[in-house]
Amino acid sequence: DWPQTPPVRIPVYDHGGTDLVCRTEQEWPLARQVIVTRYLDAVSGKLSEQLPAQEASVAYEADSGCGYTVFTWKIEEETEITGYMNLILWLEAQGNDDMDVFANVIKLDKYGMPTHQWYVDSMSHKYFGADTRLRVSRRALDPARSTELEPYLALTGEQKLRPGEIVRAELGFWPTGMMFHKGETLMLYISTGKMIDGEDYHGAD
């Protein structure tokens, strides 16, 4: 009966709840997915449905060891986020010609506390949600392979930043499956490489 076996199996994590460990699907990405766009609102700190009315920016001290900024989306109904995500940022590295950017999608419970699962490995790593990282001088994309949700880096040469220059960068997340319930929050955590709980992020130093 192997030819009748569904070709795709995925987990959908419900941090703080009950995970769907091995859900079968017929294709990947899921044909029934709905692509949703959210805008980073630097004034409210929200992930907004509408393009913000005014231009604004946020900044953090990248060499402080704990530089970060967050944007949040309060979930109003049962929501599953499964597949790929693409983060588009406009970046400036004041006083430098390059920068590293890390981002995580983290689930907050109804009390605003981060939730996680444990990696099944010898290091007891916590899994908060999908993550991505980019050295901004290596931001050039391969247009032939890139899609709306999956930017492919060309990784050919460097594009160093000039003083005062603001550049566009796309950060494609590792695919994930996460369940959110009403009253929970999706938090986008953008940083220099430190996890929200203070752990070193894969040797980011």
Side-chain angles (χ1 to χ4, degrees):
D1 297 328
W2 182 249
Q4 284 74 50
T5 302
V8 177
R9 293 182 177 88
I10 63 171
V12 179
Y13 297 112
D14 186 0
H15 299 176
T18 302
D19 300 332
L20 297 173
V21 177
C22 191
R23 191 174 77 191
T24 58
E25 298 286 351
Q26 292 299 320
E27 73 289 311
W28 183 264
L30 303 181
R32 66 183 183 278
Q33 73 177 1
V34 177
I35 298 175
V36 174
T37 299
R38 290 272 164 166
Y39 298 94
L40 281 66
D41 189 333
V43 175
S44 67
K46 305 294 184 184
L47 289 167
S48 174
E49 291 186 69
Q50 305 297 326
L51 188 67
Q54 62 187 95
E55 185 176 299
S57 64
V58 292
Y60 55 78
E61 193 172 341
D63 59 0
S64 66
C66 59
Y68 70 93
T69 187
V70 299
F71 297 87
T72 59
W73 170 13
K74 186 70 171 289
I75 303 296
E76 300 298 339
E77 59 185 0
E78 297 289 295
T79 300
E80 178 185 327
I81 297 178
T82 294
Y84 298 93
M85 292 176 282
N86 185 19
L87 174 63
I88 300 175
L89 297 174
W90 293 89
L91 300 164
E92 179 185 6
Q94 296 179 1
N96 212 320
D97 64 359
D98 209 346
M99 63 192 301
D100 293 328
V101 180
F102 294 73
N104 281 78
V105 169
I106 296 169
K107 177 179 173 179
L108 307 181
D109 64 20
K110 62 182 180 180
Y111 303 108
M113 299 300 295
T115 61
H116 66 270
Q117 303 295 58
W118 293 98
Y119 276 124
V120 182
D121 65 9
S122 61
M123 303 299 290
S124 296
H125 288 129
K126 296 176 183 178
Y127 179 73
F128 288 92
D131 66 86
T132 182
R133 65 207 67 183
L134 177 70
R135 175 151 291 176
V136 177
S137 63
R138 301 282 184 158
R139 66 189 178 277
L141 300 179
D142 180 343
R145 300 184 68 188
S146 296
T147 66
E148 180 180 5
L149 294 180
E150 294 183 79
Y152 275 84
L153 297 174
L155 298 178
T156 54
E158 290 184 317
Q159 295 176 302
K160 293 287 190 177
L161 301 173
R162 297 185 298 272
E165 183 182 18
I166 298 173
V167 300
R168 184 183 190 273
E170 296 191 38
L171 290 82
F173 284 81
W174 282 90
T176 191
M178 296 178 70
M179 180 62 68
F180 291 82
H181 305 288
K182 183 178 179 178
E184 296 177 337
T185 297
L186 183 153
M187 180 174 71
L188 174 65
Y189 180 84
I190 302 171
S191 74
T192 57
K194 298 295 182 181
M195 285 290 284
I196 190 171
D197 61 352
E199 293 182 6
D200 186 76
Y201 194 167
H202 305 302
D205 292 344

